[in-house]
Structure formats: C-alpha cells, structure tokens
Amino acid sequence: MRKPLVPFPFANGTTNRFGRSSLGGGVSTANSNTRIFTQGRAAPVVPAIRNSSTMVNLGLNSERSRGMMIQRLRNQGIQDERVLDAMMAVPRHLFVDEGLASRAYEDAALPIGHGQTISQPWVVARMISVVCENRVPVKVLEVGAGCGYQAAVLAQFVKEVHAIERIRGLYELARDHLRALKLIARVRLTFGDGMAGLPGVAPFDAIIIAAAGIKIPQALLEQLAIGGRLIAPEGSTAQRLILIERTGAAAWRREELESVRFVPLRAGTQS
C-alpha cells in the first residue's frame, strides 16, 4: 500500500460524538483487515432504520459519504464499475457499531465484535475486482462473512452468493443485516467451518477468503470451477493476497499480489 502500517486507532474502544463503542476493545492491526501497501496490477438498497436519531442523520448524509468513498477508490485504482456501483448501493454504516458509524466510509478496517473486523473499503473492492476481472461470475463463495457487508456488495451484481461464517454471533449479525436490507433471499448464509467450504454446492466461479491461513485449504481449491478464481490472504506475520486460477482438473495457477493484514483463518465453529 501507499501508507505504512500505523497503530490501530480503536484498540481500546473509541469515543466520538456518537458515544463510546462497545466493540472497540481488543482489536488491533494484528487482527485487522488492513492494507499495508500496493504493488502489482494496478439495484439500490433500502437502508434499515435504527431507533437512533444519530443513525437517521447519518443515513441522510451517507449517500454523499459513499460518493466520496467511491471517488477515493477510483483514485486508488479500482476501475470495475460493477464493484463501484455495488459499493455505492450498500450503506456500510449500517454494518458497524453505532459508535463507529461516523467512520464507516473512511478507508479503515473497523471492529465488529468477537475479535473480528469489517475490511476496509479498498480491500473489499480490490478482492472482488480481481476475481471478477474480465468475467461475470454466476456463483460466488465468501469464506468469513463477518457482519455481512462484503456479501451484500456481491449480491448487488452476482446472481448466486454463498457465505460462510464460523462464529455464531457474527453469523446472526450478518443474517440480521441482510434481512434488514432485504438481501437474505439473495445471499445463502451458512453457519459452519469455512475451511471446508460447501462441497455440496460447488463448483464456484469465484471464492473470496476473508481471513489469512498459512496455506490456502486444498478443499477450497478443489471447489473452484475450471477457469474460476480464488483470492485469499496467505501467511502469518507477513501476509500477501494470493490469486489462484484453476486451469484444469488438477492444475492451478498462482499469483502473488500486495501485502495485507487479515485476521487468522481458523477451522471449526465457535458458538
């Protein structure tokens, strides 16, 4: 990335004009979906209404804030108009804690509870753009649904979106968000082990993994359709985005992209 990694501003919670976030504690750059530096290749949604005047006020201004976010993404090299239009359509501030809502459209990862984060907008746009480049994927799998934001973005232009979340509390949060935005019928959300994928639904035209493992699980590689693409962060302390394209029944092509920082990929489920 263009910016060096800096200390995560919400490690001990945050206080702003919306009050103090209850989700900030315990999150740092060590487990944030944070971009470090860049190298290499360069249906409107109705927002949910919360019982808070601050959220209503922010909602009234969110279209302008989203427009500024989209312009920033263009300046950062995101060119896929499908992705930009989708991110313009989804109200990101509804996917974060109210105490952080005023920062929802900044280029930052924000805590969503359970030691997890919502990826910064550039990371979401970059990963989706890469797997969708020069193609229109019909069936996409997201591993690590989190609060549901990336699945909501994908659902704007992908016909069939499947998303897995291993943490029960986040699965329920994502389900609530998708229901509030009337997207639950367009995103097939599963509580389960993302490392195992969804073999009964495979193959997928694209797979996006929102957590970093030492190695990309072979089970997920096997669930790619021939010609399909998978993108995932790989590594422990030093992580890079990896793009994999399946070129044959037992052949995959691998490409290393930019350095990133993601939460760890874990097996099993957590209630």
Side-chain angles (χ1 to χ4, degrees):
M1 298 293 161
R2 299 177 304 174
K3 300 181 291 186
L5 187 64
V6 296
F8 190 66
F10 308 115
N12 296 311
T14 183
T15 302
N16 58 28
R17 63 192 179 93
F18 294 99
R20 186 171 184 82
S21 168
S22 61
L23 299 180
V27 181
S28 67
T29 49
N31 65 358
S32 298
N33 301 356
T34 303
R35 181 164 56 111
I36 301 176
F37 62 85
T38 305
Q39 68 177 36
R41 301 182 303 173
V45 177
V46 179
I49 299 176
R50 299 187 183 182
N51 294 323
S52 168
S53 60
T54 56
M55 291 306 297
V56 172
N57 290 337
L58 180 59
L60 294 174
N61 295 318
S62 69
E63 186 170 354
R64 179 184 176 187
S65 297
R66 272 179 275 165
M68 294 172 65
M69 177 184 74
I70 298 305
Q71 185 57 52
R72 185 178 64 243
L73 291 172
R74 291 184 192 279
N75 294 341
Q76 292 171 325
I78 303 299
Q79 300 178 350
D80 192 319
E81 293 298 327
R82 297 167 299 173
V83 178
L84 294 171
D85 287 346
M87 293 184 71
M88 183 66 193
V90 178
R92 190 172 187 258
H93 67 278
L94 298 181
F95 289 82
V96 301
D97 181 65
E98 289 187 21
L100 299 175
S102 64
R103 306 189 70 96
Y105 299 103
E106 296 180 4
D107 199 24
L110 300 173
I112 55 174
H114 304 276
Q116 305 295 303
T117 58
I118 179 175
S119 296
Q120 67 189 101
W122 185 91
V123 168
V124 173
R126 171 65 167 158
M127 294 179 79
I128 297 176
S129 294
V130 168
V131 295
C132 294
E133 186 176 359
N134 299 323
R135 62 192 65 198
V136 182
V138 174
K139 184 162 58 173
V140 175
L141 172 65
E142 180 194 19
V143 176
C147 61
Y149 175 71
Q150 185 165 253
V153 172
L154 286 165
Q156 302 301 309
F157 67 95
V158 174
K159 181 178 180 180
E160 189 175 334
V161 178
H162 295 262
I164 308 176
E165 176 51 53
R166 64 176 295 273
I167 299 174
R168 172 70 71 176
L170 289 181
Y171 162 78
E172 294 173 351
L173 184 65
R175 181 189 60 195
D176 291 345
H177 287 151
L178 293 169
R179 279 179 177 167
L181 294 173
K182 297 179 172 56
L183 291 173
I184 196 65
R186 294 161 61 184
V187 177
R188 303 175 193 189
L189 188 63
T190 299
F191 173 62
D193 183 354
M195 292 181 69
L198 294 173
V201 182
F204 297 98
D205 301 311
I207 299 176
I208 298 174
I209 305 176
I214 300 299
K215 185 177 180 182
I216 296 170
Q218 185 65 28
L220 295 176
L221 296 176
E222 297 284 354
Q223 290 175 37
L224 265 184
I226 294 177
R229 290 176 176 171
L230 177 151
I231 191 165
E234 186 181 79
S236 54
T237 303
Q239 300 174 6
R240 300 191 76 84
L241 276 181
I242 305 298
L243 173 64
I244 292 178
E245 183 171 347
R246 189 169 192 176
T247 57
W252 294 264
R253 182 171 63 239
R254 172 188 171 98
E255 180 181 355
E256 292 192 1
L257 305 178
E258 47 272 328
S259 295
V260 288
R261 183 72 59 82
F262 273 77
V263 296
L265 181 66
R266 302 189 189 281
T269 59
Q270 177 181 323
S271 297

